[in-house]
């Protein structure tokens, strides 16, 4: 009898293992490296669907693709509104919400300035001050006009342009999560160029471990580890895309008030939230707004926490971050 039970248990154990599939895939979309890892019987199919969806989002929201919704809005700036897909409408609406919460430090009309600097491209340069001042006048999130009835978006003035690069990856990560749910995936790691969604827990039931990059060190060296289940983790930092000119670092997060890369003391802003669009939308702006306001704003938003690193290697944590969530591993930081 016991032998039979053991055999049955063994069988369940073995077939259970055979049925559980882990699939992993790397790809390129939304201007960044995508890494997807999912556990479940339909993991491969789920990943195929997710990659399809990412390309669709890219086609709709890229500022570089002429046929994208964003380009259509930009081409018609100062002229007329353009009807866009629900995805795009939702993302631009959200972007403006965060612009308001973050007092305009986050501003999706930043595109003319981003283009002027062209950081991360072959054309990157420090622009003339006069050019910056002129371009700065085009940046104003209050000039985005929505028509809810027709799903159309218009920019008030000629030459204004949208760039949802600071928030689209968060939206995309949430969409991948939802696709994974549809395929009954209960454990997955969604990594869109560092914009991470840790779905469920690891297969053994333990929390996902996600490192926070040391801003002063090569990629993969962490200052600490986050342990999370079913959370989004998004970091904005000055170490991802930048160039150095005359010993000065010019990174890709532009302060819409000055027209220059943000000079706040924050060098890394990590947002831990239930939805990645919140994390992405908030991380870019809080990075610019400065440590005191950043802490205050995040504390007032229910269900969202943050870890900031300032240039003097100080770490600031909001009240929801305790030892069970974050372990500091680099003693140079305090
Ligand atoms: P990453 O894309 O490197 O993960 P972010 O989410 O912080 O980083 O977004 C940076 C991108 O957002 C820039 O490459 C640019 O396209 C856009 N951007 C830069 N400055 C701003 C800003 N102040 N507000 C909104 N978007 C911005
Ligand atoms: Mg962002």
């Amino acid at each position: 009898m016991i032998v039979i039970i053991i055999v049955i248990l063994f069988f369940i154990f073995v077939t259970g293992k055979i049925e559980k599939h882990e699939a992993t895939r790397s790809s390129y979309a939304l201007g960044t490296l995508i890494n997807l890892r999912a556990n479940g019987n339909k993991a491969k199919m789920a990943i195929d669907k997710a990659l399809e969806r990412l390309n669709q989002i890219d086609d709709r929201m890229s500022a570089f693709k002429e046929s994208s919704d964003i380009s259509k809005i930009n081409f018609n700036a100062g002229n007329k509104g353009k009807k866009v897909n629900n995805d795009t409408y939702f993302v631009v609406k959200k972007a403006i919400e965060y612009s308001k919460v973050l007092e305009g430090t986050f501003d999706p009309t930043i595109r003319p300035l981003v283009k002027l600097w062209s950081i991360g491209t072959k054309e990157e340069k420090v622009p003339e001050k006069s050019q910056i001042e002129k371009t700065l006048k085009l940046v104003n999130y209050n000039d985005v006009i929505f028509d809810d009835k027709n799903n159309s978006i218009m920019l008030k003035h000629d030459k204004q342009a949208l760039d949802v690069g600071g928030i689209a990856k968060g939206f995309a990560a949430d969409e991948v999560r939802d696709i994974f749910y549809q395929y009954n995936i209960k454990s997955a790691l969604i990594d869109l160029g560092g914009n991470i969604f840790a779905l469920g827990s690891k297969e053994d039931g333990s929390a996902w471990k996600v490192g926070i990059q040391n801003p002063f060190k090569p990629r993969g060296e962490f200052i600490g580890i986050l342990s999370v289940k079913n959370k989004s983790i998004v970091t904005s930092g000055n170490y991802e895309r930048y160039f150095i000119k005359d010993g000065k670092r010019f990174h890709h997060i532009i302060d819409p008030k000055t027209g220059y890369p943000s000079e706040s003391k924050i060098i890394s802003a990590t947002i831990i939230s239930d939805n990645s669009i919140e994390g992405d939308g908030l991380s870019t702006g809080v990075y610019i707004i400065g440590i005191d306001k950043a802490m205050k704003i995040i504390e007032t938003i229910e269900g969202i926490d943050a870890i900031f690193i300032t240039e003097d290697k100080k770490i600031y944590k909001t009240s929801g971050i305790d030892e069970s969530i974050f372990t500091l591993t680099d003693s140079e930081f305090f």
Side-chain angles (χ1 to χ4, degrees):
M1 189 61 188
I2 286 176
V3 172
I4 294 172
I5 291 172
I6 289 173
V7 168
I8 291 171
L9 283 178
F10 182 74
F11 196 71
I12 291 169
F13 181 72
V14 169
T15 50
K17 266 276 186 281
I18 287 168
E19 272 180 29
K20 276 217 180 82
H21 290 296
E22 183 182 88
T24 57
R25 194 94 59 82
S26 298
S27 185
Y28 196 83
L30 301 165
T32 195
L33 186 64
I34 310 287
N35 280 304
L36 301 177
R37 165 172 157 197
N39 283 296
N41 297 338
K42 297 177 188 155
K44 275 213 170 95
M45 248 196 291
I47 288 182
D48 282 342
K49 279 282 168 217
L51 290 174
E52 241 173 68
R53 181 75 175 115
L54 290 175
N55 285 319
Q56 184 181 51
I57 293 169
D58 198 348
D59 286 344
R60 288 176 180 159
M61 298 190 204
S62 166
F64 307 101
K65 292 183 177 168
E66 281 199 16
S67 57
S68 75
D69 281 341
I70 296 298
S71 292
K72 275 193 256 172
I73 297 167
N74 293 348
F75 285 138
N76 289 284
N79 180 23
K80 58 178 183 230
K82 283 312 254 185
K83 188 176 160 65
V84 295
N85 181 272
N86 283 338
D87 291 345
T88 314
Y89 201 78
F90 175 75
V91 168
V92 178
K93 260 260 157 101
K94 273 278 173 203
I96 300 300
E97 248 177 60
Y98 291 121
S99 303
K100 288 175 184 157
V101 171
L102 298 165
E103 302 172 4
T105 51
F106 183 77
D107 191 326
T109 66
I110 197 86
R111 172 85 190 134
L113 273 172
V114 168
K115 199 168 174 207
L116 187 64
W117 283 88
S118 287
I119 292 167
T121 75
K122 271 189 261 138
E123 284 88 48
E124 61 190 13
K125 58 168 188 305
V126 182
E128 299 283 331
K129 200 162 186 275
S130 61
Q131 257 183 319
I132 287 181
E133 276 160 12
K134 207 174 87 194
T135 312
L136 207 46
K137 294 199 181 98
L138 296 169
V139 179
N140 186 351
Y141 66 90
N142 290 307
D143 293 339
V144 183
I145 303 160
F146 294 94
D147 178 350
D148 287 344
K149 247 207 243 133
N150 298 309
N151 245 27
S152 103
I153 300 175
M154 176 175 168
L155 290 163
K156 212 169 183 175
H157 305 293
D158 186 30
K159 295 198 176 69
Q160 285 189 313
L162 288 175
D163 172 356
V164 291
I167 190 167
K169 276 185 291 198
F171 169 73
D174 292 338
E175 290 298 298
V176 172
R177 170 199 57 194
D178 293 348
I179 287 170
F180 281 4
Y181 280 150
Q182 284 165 20
Y183 284 85
N184 213 18
I185 306 283
K186 299 204 168 64
S187 168
L189 206 57
I190 300 160
D191 178 357
L192 313 185
N195 193 311
I196 288 170
F197 197 96
L199 189 157
S201 55
K202 281 207 245 173
E203 235 199 328
D204 63 6
S206 63
W208 287 108
K209 305 268 189 291
V210 178
I212 295 184
Q213 174 65 38
N214 182 330
F216 301 104
K217 292 276 171 67
R219 192 188 290 248
E221 287 193 43
F222 304 130
I223 62 126
I225 305 288
L226 284 161
S227 301
V228 294
K229 290 183 181 177
N230 225 31
K231 289 277 179 197
S232 159
I233 298 173
V234 180
T235 303
S236 283
N238 69 356
Y239 49 85
E240 280 292 332
R241 261 182 292 152
Y242 64 87
F243 68 94
I244 291 175
K245 178 96 205 295
D246 302 330
K248 202 171 150 62
R249 181 195 290 239
F250 295 93
H251 61 84
H252 73 306
I253 299 175
I254 311 286
D255 185 340
K257 304 251 153 50
T258 64
Y260 286 83
S262 157
E263 298 223 26
S264 92
K265 302 219 171 334
I266 298 178
I267 53 174
S268 161
T270 298
I271 307 285
I272 300 105
S273 56
D274 291 332
N275 295 297
S276 211
I277 194 164
E278 302 166 322
D280 199 9
L282 289 167
S283 66
T284 311
V286 288
Y287 181 94
I288 299 170
I289 209 165
I291 188 65
D292 296 340
K293 275 196 175 166
M295 286 292 283
K296 269 194 206 123
I297 289 171
I298 299 301
E299 287 289 12
T300 59
I301 308 176
E302 180 75 32
I304 295 185
D305 276 292
I307 298 177
F308 302 106
I309 308 171
T310 48
E311 59 192 9
D312 51 359
K313 298 193 171 172
K314 257 186 105 164
I315 293 174
Y316 295 78
K317 298 173 279 187
T318 56
S319 52
I321 306 283
D322 59 24
E323 283 86 51
S324 70
I325 296 172
F326 177 67
T327 318
L328 184 67
T329 53
D330 187 331
S331 55
E332 270 190 43
F333 293 80
F334 56 100

